[in-house]
Amino acid sequence: MTINTHPTLPEFEYVRPETLAEASEFLTRYPGEARPFLGGTDIFVRMRDGLITPNFLVDVKKLDGTNDLRFEPQAGLTLGAAVNMNRVIASREVQAHYPLLAEACRSVASYQLRTRATVVGNICNASPAGDTIGACLVFNGVLHIHEVNGLRQEPLAEFFLGPGKTTLKPGDIVTAIHLPLPPKGCAGVYLKLGRNKLSDLSLVGVTALGHPDPSLPSGYRFRLALASVAPVPLVPTQAETYLANQPITPETIREAAHLAAEACAPIDDLRGSARYRKEMVRNLSAKALSEVWEKLK
Amino acid sequence: MTKKFIGKRVKRNEDPRLLTGQALFVDDVEIPGMLHAAFLRSDYAHARLLSIDVSAARQRPGVVAVFTAEDMGEDWQPGPPLVSPPPTAKDVIFHSRRQVPLVKDKVRHAGEAIAVVIAESRYIAEDAVEDILVELEPLEAVSDLEKSLQEGSTLVHDDLESNLAAHLIQKKGDYEAAREKADLVITRRIVTDRGAAAAMENRGIVAHWDEKSQHLTVWDTTQAPIPIRNGLAARLGLSANQVRVIAPFVGGGFGPKMMMFYPEEMLIPWASMKLSRPIKWIEDRRENFYATTQERGQNHDVELALSRDGHILGLKDVFLHDTGAYDPYGLTIPLNTQCHLMGPYDIENFTSEVSVVFTNKTLVTPVRGAGRPQGIFIIERLLDIAAKELGIDQVEIRKRNLIPPEAFPYEHKIIDQAFAPLVLDSGNYWPVMKKALDMIGYDQFVKEEQPRLRAEGKYVGIGITPFIESTGVGPYEGARVTVEASGKVFVATGVGTQGQGHFTTFAQIVAEQLGVAVSDVRIVTGDTTEFHWGTGTFASRGAVVAGNAIHASASIVRQKVLKLACKILETPEEELELECGLVRVADTPHKSISLGELALLANPLRGAVEPGTEPGLEATAYFGPQYGATAFGTHAMIIEIDPETMMIAIKRYITVEDCGTVLNPLILEGQIHGGVSMGIGNAYYEKLHFDENGQLLNASFADYLIPSATEMPRIEVGHVETTSPLNELGTKGVGEAGTIPVPALFSQAIENALYNRELEILETPLSPNRLFELLVNEEKSR
C-alpha cells in the first residue's frame, strides 16, 4: 500500500546457540521463520527492504569450527563460515596457494564491509552476482553442512538452484567451505566489471583458472565461472571443454569466450542491458583467459 | 591598489570546527522533551485518496499525535509561490500549482506525504506509520514528457485543461530569415534527463514552540533562512520577531534546499505549535530520493543555422521542460536554459519556445546548474556536429563565434531568470579558452600524441568546452559589520551556508578594509536573529551579492574608524593606515590606537556626542546588483575509453575560470572540484530511472551511482580575471561553474575518442552501458 520510506529493520529475535546441534534443532523447529546469521551484510539489507521477514536470526559465528581458517598441505583449505573476507585476504596461506580467492575477496564492496562479509555468506546468499563464488567453483569447492542428523558434504557446483535458492533445507548450517589443493602450476584471475571502480555490485564477473594437464589434448585445463549473467553463478562447460580439446591460441581463446557468452542468459536491468552483459562476458572472458594463458606459458 | 587579504590562499576559518566534529548540524540539536516525526508516503505516483484511518496509529503507546490533511482544517494551504511568472514577457501562460502539506484528495507523485506521526521516538513514529490504513485508488500516471501533452492524457491537476504548466516564447532578430540565408541547417532532437542533487546531508528540521515565551525556534537545513522565517510567521499567524530560523552548518545545498516550504518544513513547526513540544524530523536517504526536488529533464527540438565558414546565423529551439507534480519555482530553470542556449556566442537571431509540463514525478526545482547545463549541452553539441559537417576544427568554429571583448556589455534582448533583460556584463572569452588549450597542450596532443596513441590501438579523445554562467542575481543581501571592544570584528549576514567557505571569504573582505587578521573576523550566517533581511544562498550569488554587501558595510566602518582615529591621534585621515588591528600614523607607526580601544571610545558612557553621531564602530549596508554578473570558463579533458567495456579513464582535466575578482583561490578551486565531480556524475553515472507508472526504480545509492574518489581525476585549475563592472569587488559567481559544461565536454571527448565510429551523442546522462547501446545502434544503421 505504501512505500517503506523509512526503511528500518523489522523486529526479530537474535538467537545464539551454544552448539551446532542446538542451532540445527532451533532452525528445524522454526522452518521459514529462522535463518542462520553470519555477517549480516546481505540479510539486513533484505530485511530492511522488506524482502524477507525472519522472526529469528540464529547466529552461527561462535559455533564449532566456524572461525577456523585452516590450510593442510595434504588436503587444502578449509574456510570456516564466520571467517570474514579481510581475514581471507590477509591469510598467508591463501595468498600463497589461492591468490585468486584473495583477489576475488578484495573486489567486494569496501574494507569496512569486508570485516563483516564472509565467503560462506556470499555463497549462501546465492546471488548470481556473488564475487567470491567463482573462485570457490573453479577450485572445486565443497561445502560442509551441518544438518539435524549430522554432517554432509556437498559440491558447490551442485548447490545453486536459482537466485537466492540453494539445496539447503531447514536446519542446515553451512559450517565451512573446503577447497582442495590447487592444481599444480595453476594461475587464475578475477575480472569484475562494475559501473565504477569501487563498491558497485558486479555487472559481470569472470573468474578464470588454468593449469597444465597432460591428460588433455590441449595439455591445459581451463576453468571459468561467470557472475551476474544467469540465475545462478554459471560455469560455461562448453567453453571449458573446447579449450581442453583445442590448442591454446588467441583464436581458440576468442572462440571459448564466445562459447562462454553464448552460455549465459543475462537479464536487462538498470545496471546494464542483457546485450551489454553478454558482450562483456565475451570480452572479459577473452581477457581473463588470455591473462591466465600468459601466466601459464 | 594591491590587496593584502583578497585573492590570497587563506585556509578556511571554519575547518577546525568541521574537522573536529564541533560544528552544529540540524540533527545535532537535542532539546529535552523533544518528539520525533515520521511520514506516511504514497507508493503510487498518481492515485485518489479514498479514505484514511489513523486510529490504530494514535493508540500505539508513545504516539503523541497523527495528523492528516483533514486534521489541519483551515491551516491546510498549498505552499507559497517562490517565483512569479515573468511580468515582462508577452503571451506567457503560467499555471501555478503549489505543493500541499499533506495529500487531501489526490496523490501526484510517489513519495508524496499523506500523514505525519509525532511520537516519543523515531522508532515509535515509524512503527505507527505502518499502523495507518489508507485506501488509494490508483490512477494512470503521467511520466513521459511528450505523452503528458498528448490529447486525452491523464491530468496531473484535474482543474486544468491539459498538463501544460507554462508556455513562453522568446525571440530576438529573425530566425526564419536567417535560416533562409544559411548554408547549413542542423536539426536534431536532444534529450537531457533527471538526476538527484544527492547532498551528503539530507533535509532536516527541528521546531521548538515555547508556549511561555510565545516564541518559535526552527533549525532547518534550508539555503534561505530569512524567507523561511517570513513565510512561517505569515502562515502561523506570528510576528517575524516571534520566529527564529537557524540554518546551521549544512552538508550540501546544491539548490534543492532553496526550494521553500517543503511540506515537512511547514508541518513540523505547525505541529510543534499544536503540541507545544519540540519536534525533530530528519529525512532519510530514501525519502530524499522521493521527496527532495530534482532536475534536468528536457526534450529539445533544435535547429542551428550556419554559414559555410562556420558563423552561427541563428538558433531555434522548441523544448519541453519537466516540472514534476507542481511548479512552485515558476520558470527559473527553463529561463536559465534559454539564457544559456546561445552560450558565449554572438548569435543575432534566436527563437526559443518552451512548454513546461506537469508529470507524476518528484518536483523539479534548481539543482546546481539550474537549467544552464542543458542550454550549454544543446549549443555545444550542435557546434560539434556543425564542425564535423563543415570540416572546421572544433576550437576554430567556437573561436569564430565567441562574443568579442569590445561587445560588452552584451545585450541579448531576451529576459533572464530575474525577468530582467539578459545582459552579459563583461568578458574576454578567447584568452580564457586559449589558456585552457595551452594548459592541456591541445595542438601537441592532437598533432603528435593522439596519432601515436591511436596507432597503439588506444581510444583517446580530447574535448574543450567553453561556457557562460549567469550568476549573482538580485534582489539584494545585507550585512552588519561591528568592531567589538576586543578588537575583533563581528559580521552578520542573512544568507545560509552549506560549505562554500563563507566564514573565510567574507572575513577576507572585511580584513581588507579594517586591517585585522582574517581569523579575527567572526562571521554569522543563517540566523535570523543576527540579521533580519535577505534572500538566500543560490544562483552562485553568495560572493557577489552578500560579499559586496559586506564590503559596503566594512567600508563604512572603515570611514568611521578613520574619522574617530583622526581626532584621537590628531593626524589627518589620509596619513592613517589600518594594520594589524591598529590604526596608526603611516610614517610614525608607534603612534597608534587599537581598534578595540577605538570601539570603546566610539561608545562612551559619559559626556556628550556630536549631533548626527552613531554609537559604536558599526554599519549595516545592502547591495543589490543592477543585474546578474556573467562568468565564463572553459573545461578541457583527455579521456581514454576501453573499447571493450566502454569504461572511461580521465587522463587530464583542466578548468580555466573567469569569475572576476578571485577572493580566495583555495576556496574557488574547492568549489570547482566539487562542481566537476557533480558534473561527472551528471555526464556518466547519475540518472534517475522512472518507469511509465512514475515509479523511481533506483532510489538508493546501491542503484543510483554517484562518482567517488576513484572516479575523480586530478583537476588542474587556471584563473583569468575580468572584473565585473556591476559591483565594487568586481566578483562574479562560480558555485555552479564546475558542473555546467561537463556533459557537453564528455560527449565531445567521447566522440573524439571513438574516431572511427559515426557516433553522435544527443543525450545526457550517459553510462558505459548506454554508450555501448548507442554504438550498437550506430553499427546497425550503417
Side-chain angles (χ1 to χ4, degrees):
Chain A
M1 180 59 76
T2 49
I3 296 175
N4 181 12
T5 45
H6 298 276
T8 48
L9 280 178
E11 278 184 27
F12 63 91
E13 294 287 326
Y14 171 78
V15 183
R16 213 183 87 188
E18 295 295 323
T19 65
L20 277 164
E22 199 186 314
S24 279
E25 195 272 325
F26 189 91
L27 288 163
T28 317
R29 204 180 334 144
Y30 297 99
E33 283 188 75
R35 291 179 72 109
F37 171 67
L38 288 166
T41 56
D42 282 306
I43 213 167
F44 282 151
V45 174
R46 298 176 70 204
M47 284 169 71
R48 182 199 67 187
D49 290 349
L51 300 173
I52 52 170
T53 49
N55 292 326
F56 305 98
L57 291 185
V58 182
D59 194 336
V60 296
K61 288 195 289 294
K62 301 286 179 200
L63 301 180
D64 283 352
T66 58
N67 266 297
D68 297 347
L69 190 162
R70 198 171 62 245
F71 178 74
E72 292 157 288
Q74 305 307 320
L77 180 74
T78 305
L79 204 57
V83 176
N84 74 42
M85 291 187 184
N86 283 337
R87 266 185 75 196
V88 177
I89 294 166
S91 155
R92 291 220 178 118
E93 279 111 347
V94 171
Q95 284 168 15
H97 304 286
Y98 307 89
L100 174 61
L101 179 63
E103 186 184 350
C105 287
R106 264 196 303 272
S107 79
V108 174
S110 58
Y111 183 86
Q112 288 85 342
L113 273 167
R114 292 195 295 266
T115 63
R116 297 291 304 174
T118 61
V119 172
V120 167
N122 204 211
I123 290 168
C124 291
N125 192 45
S127 158
D131 287 304
T132 62
I133 298 172
C136 295
L137 279 170
V138 299
F139 283 121
N140 296 318
V142 175
L143 294 169
H144 292 188
I145 301 168
H146 184 274
E147 53 183 22
V148 182
N149 303 323
L151 284 167
R152 72 171 194 270
Q153 298 198 348
E154 194 165 315
L156 185 61
E158 293 160 19
F159 182 66
F160 302 107
L161 302 177
K165 294 204 176 72
T166 66
T167 59
L168 290 178
K169 302 182 301 295
D172 286 354
I173 299 164
V174 179
T175 56
I177 173 121
H178 173 75
L179 305 185
L181 283 177
K184 281 215 162 54
C186 74
V189 64
Y190 179 56
L191 297 181
K192 171 176 176 169
L193 185 70
R195 293 166 301 169
N196 61 6
K197 293 192 192 77
L198 198 73
S199 83
D200 194 23
L201 289 175
S202 59
L203 270 164
V204 168
V206 175
T207 311
L209 185 76
H211 60 92
D213 185 342
S215 72
L216 296 172
S218 76
Y220 293 92
R221 179 173 295 284
F222 280 87
R223 303 292 322 275
L224 271 175
L226 309 173
S228 290
V229 291
V232 294
L234 189 74
V235 174
T237 47
Q238 302 90 325
E240 293 182 348
T241 310
Y242 180 80
L243 287 179
N245 293 305
Q246 301 292 327
I248 311 302
T249 66
E251 290 70 32
T252 56
I253 283 177
R254 263 205 301 281
E255 179 57 23
H258 173 73
L259 290 171
E262 290 308 309
C264 61
I267 52 162
D268 276 312
D269 69 10
L270 292 178
R271 295 168 202 281
S273 65
R275 189 155 67 169
Y276 177 68
R277 285 192 154 116
K278 205 160 182 165
E279 190 62 25
M280 293 310 109
V281 170
R282 191 191 320 275
N283 293 340
L284 295 184
S285 296
K287 191 172 178 207
L289 290 169
S290 303
E291 285 183 18
V292 170
W293 178 234
E294 282 303 314
K295 292 183 196 173
L296 291 178
K297 272 200 290 194
Chain B
M1 192 181 94
T2 53
K3 298 198 167 73
K4 290 196 196 81
F5 298 99
I6 288 178
K8 298 293 186 288
R9 302 182 84 87
V10 180
K11 281 192 187 166
R12 305 203 320 167
N13 276 346
E14 53 267 59
D15 282 346
R17 281 173 73 197
L18 285 163
L19 295 173
T20 56
Q22 301 305 307
L24 181 89
F25 290 81
V26 171
D27 201 13
D28 295 326
V29 175
E30 294 293 341
I31 302 168
M34 188 167 73
L35 301 172
H36 297 264
F39 288 85
L40 172 77
R41 297 179 185 276
S42 171
D43 192 8
Y44 297 110
H46 199 193
R48 205 164 299 286
L49 177 58
L50 300 180
S51 71
I52 180 163
D53 177 0
V54 299
S55 52
R58 283 191 176 130
Q59 278 158 20
R60 181 180 277 267
V63 170
V64 175
V66 182
F67 297 109
T68 66
E70 205 66 28
D71 300 320
M72 293 186 73
E74 298 274 295
D75 293 335
W76 186 94
Q77 294 283 335
L82 291 180
V83 186
S84 26
T88 45
K90 275 186 292 185
D91 305 324
V92 179
I93 298 172
F94 183 74
H95 300 296
S96 177
R97 292 294 178 277
R98 282 106 60 195
Q99 71 287 355
V100 298
L102 291 169
V103 170
K104 192 173 228 172
D105 52 350
K106 195 165 98 150
V107 169
R108 294 190 176 85
H109 69 86
E112 194 167 11
I114 298 172
V116 58
V117 175
I118 315 288
E120 296 291 345
S121 79
R122 179 72 175 251
Y123 301 98
I124 296 169
E126 294 193 3
D127 285 346
V129 163
E130 292 181 13
D131 296 337
I132 298 173
L133 297 173
V134 62
E135 203 181 344
L136 292 167
E137 176 198 343
L139 302 168
E140 197 185 338
V142 183
S143 182
D144 182 77
L145 277 68
E146 303 279 329
K147 286 184 189 158
S148 78
L149 287 186
Q150 281 168 7
E151 194 80 25
S153 168
T154 312
L155 295 176
V156 178
H157 296 277
D158 297 334
D159 59 325
L160 295 176
E161 283 174 14
S162 77
N163 288 315
L164 184 73
H167 183 260
L168 170 76
I169 299 175
Q170 295 223 59
K171 277 186 182 180
K172 75 168 185 172
D174 184 346
Y175 174 76
E176 295 306 325
R179 190 185 199 281
E180 287 297 307
K181 282 184 266 172
D183 297 313
L184 175 68
V185 178
I186 292 166
T187 305
R188 291 291 187 279
R189 153 68 59 101
I190 300 180
V191 175
T192 61
D193 213 336
R194 273 196 194 212
M200 196 184 292
E201 185 188 8
N202 291 325
R203 292 182 294 133
I205 299 154
V206 176
H208 181 197
W209 169 251
D210 185 51
E211 188 68 37
K212 285 180 182 155
S213 66
Q214 295 282 296
H215 193 271
L216 177 70
T217 308
V218 178
W219 290 262
D220 185 352
T221 52
T222 183
Q223 294 172 230
I226 290 171
I228 292 290
R229 188 264 325 267
N230 297 344
L232 282 177
R235 279 289 166 93
L236 300 173
L238 299 171
S239 150
N241 287 311
Q242 283 175 282
V243 185
R244 178 184 186 189
V245 175
I246 300 165
F249 280 98
V250 175
F254 308 127
K257 288 174 183 150
M258 187 63 202
M259 152 75 188
M260 275 173 274
F261 297 101
Y262 278 101
E264 303 88 351
E265 217 163 21
M266 186 57 81
L267 273 165
I268 301 298
W270 175 86
S272 176
M273 286 187 74
K274 284 279 159 216
L275 303 172
S276 288
R277 295 274 296 271
I279 303 173
K280 177 187 275 189
W281 171 71
I282 301 295
E283 183 183 51
D284 67 30
R285 184 57 66 182
R286 194 169 302 192
E287 288 185 291
N288 186 270
F289 272 108
Y290 285 103
T292 290
T293 58
Q294 306 161 349
E295 208 213 302
R296 306 238 206 284
Q298 294 180 347
N299 291 3
H300 292 255
D301 286 305
V302 63
E303 280 183 24
L304 188 71
L306 302 107
S307 64
R308 198 166 288 111
D309 62 1
H311 279 106
I312 302 169
L313 303 177
L315 173 70
K316 180 184 179 186
D317 184 20
V318 179
F319 70 103
L320 298 178
H321 169 76
D322 177 7
T323 189
Y326 303 93
D327 60 353
Y329 228 107
L331 288 164
T332 299
I333 298 168
L335 282 169
N336 266 346
T337 301
Q338 289 183 321
C339 289
H340 289 73
L341 276 167
M342 289 180 273
Y345 307 113
D346 186 12
I347 300 178
E348 281 180 24
N349 304 293
F350 173 77
T351 297
S352 172
E353 176 179 353
V354 58
S355 301
V356 180
V357 298
F358 288 118
T359 56
N360 290 116
K361 291 187 281 190
T362 303
L363 280 67
V364 169
T365 73
V367 175
R368 198 179 203 167
R372 301 175 184 90
Q374 296 95 311
I376 297 298
F377 188 72
I378 304 298
I379 184 65
E380 294 299 313
R381 290 284 63 214
L382 291 172
L383 278 176
D384 286 333
I385 294 165
K388 280 181 198 162
E389 297 211 5
L390 293 167
I392 300 173
D393 176 71
Q394 309 276 17
V395 174
E396 181 57 30
I397 198 168
R398 289 173 165 85
K399 187 179 177 187
R400 284 181 196 173
N401 286 290
L402 287 177
I403 297 169
E406 62 275 12
F408 292 97
Y410 183 87
E411 291 182 25
H412 248 317
K413 305 184 186 106
I414 62 171
I415 56 160
D416 68 8
Q417 62 154 312
F419 317 135
L422 173 62
V423 181
L424 310 188
D425 61 310
S426 59
N428 189 2
Y429 293 167
W430 175 245
V432 176
M433 214 175 150
K434 174 80 169 47
K435 186 162 188 170
L437 289 164
D438 291 345
M439 282 172 73
I440 205 157
Y442 186 83
D443 289 337
Q444 195 264 341
F445 179 81
V446 171
K447 285 184 191 131
E448 296 165 30
E449 206 168 336
Q450 193 174 35
R452 182 173 58 75
L453 292 166
R454 280 179 179 170
E456 289 172 18
K458 291 191 169 156
Y459 290 85
V460 285
I462 191 163
I464 178 143
T465 303
F467 66 99
I468 55 165
E469 186 201 350
S470 64
T471 75
V473 296
Y476 77 93
E477 290 299 337
R480 186 179 66 253
V481 173
T482 311
V483 176
E484 298 185 332
S486 61
K488 296 192 177 183
V489 184
F490 174 69
V491 181
T493 180
V495 298
T497 196
Q498 305 90 39
Q500 292 88 346
H502 291 152
F503 302 93
T504 311
T505 45
F506 290 168
Q508 287 173 266
I509 292 169
V510 171
E512 192 69 45
Q513 290 302 314
L514 300 179
V516 293
V518 173
S519 56
D520 281 341
V521 182
R522 186 169 155 261
I523 308 278
V524 167
T525 67
D527 183 342
T528 61
T529 300
E530 300 285 1
F531 201 77
H532 194 80
W533 303 96
T535 47
T537 302
F538 60 98
S540 301
R541 68 194 288 280
V544 181
V545 188
N548 276 285
I550 289 165
H551 172 73
S553 314
S555 303
I556 298 169
V557 173
R558 180 186 171 88
Q559 292 316 311
K560 289 186 176 181
V561 166
L562 286 171
K563 194 173 166 194
L564 184 60
C566 137
K567 273 191 213 154
I568 290 163
L569 297 174
E570 296 173 323
T571 310
E573 285 181 30
E574 313 79 74
E575 291 172 29
L576 297 176
E577 60 180 21
L578 277 69
E579 291 277 356
C580 309
L582 303 170
V583 186
R584 63 191 189 197
V585 181
D587 53 3
T588 327
H590 63 272
K591 200 171 158 190
S592 69
I593 182 166
S594 75
L595 284 182
E597 285 173 84
L598 268 182
L600 278 172
L601 292 171
N603 185 22
L605 292 174
R606 293 286 187 277
V609 295
E610 286 175 35
T613 303
E614 291 170 3
L617 299 176
E618 178 175 287
T620 299
Y622 297 87
F623 174 75
Q626 191 189 343
Y627 55 90
T630 300
F632 178 73
T634 299
H635 289 203
M637 169 169 84
I638 293 171
I639 63 163
E640 181 173 350
I641 301 180
D642 179 338
E644 297 203 324
T645 63
M646 297 304 140
M647 295 289 163
I648 53 139
I650 300 175
K651 299 293 180 187
R652 299 273 311 273
Y653 201 105
I654 310 285
T655 78
V656 181
E657 296 304 327
D658 184 355
C659 56
T661 305
V662 175
L663 298 175
N664 182 333
L666 197 62
I667 284 174
L668 168 60
E669 287 162 20
Q671 287 207 326
I672 298 285
H673 290 180
V676 169
S677 107
M678 218 154 165
I680 290 173
N682 287 169
Y684 214 65
Y685 296 94
E686 302 182 45
K687 179 176 173 170
L688 292 167
H689 292 270
F690 286 89
D691 70 8
E692 68 279 9
N693 298 317
Q695 291 294 335
L696 180 56
L697 303 177
N698 55 339
S700 87
F701 281 150
D703 296 315
Y704 182 87
L705 210 60
I706 51 173
S708 56
T710 48
E711 278 68 55
M712 282 295 286
R714 183 172 163 262
I715 299 167
E716 302 160 61
V717 185
H719 307 290
V720 171
E721 295 190 30
T722 309
T723 55
S724 173
L726 300 175
N727 62 71
E728 275 199 38
L729 290 172
T731 46
K732 304 173 184 180
V734 75
E736 294 161 279
T739 306
I740 293 169
V742 189
L745 180 71
F746 259 69
S747 302
Q748 194 188 44
I750 288 169
E751 285 181 7
N752 185 255
L754 300 169
Y755 63 101
N756 52 3
R757 306 294 297 266
E758 295 291 316
L759 178 66
E760 206 174 75
I761 295 169
L762 299 172
E763 64 186 57
T764 182
L766 291 174
S767 64
N769 178 62
R770 185 61 195 152
L771 184 56
F772 169 82
E773 294 291 331
L774 290 177
L775 287 168
V776 170
N777 293 340
E778 181 261 336
E779 204 157 292
K780 279 187 187 161
S781 69
R782 263 198 259 172

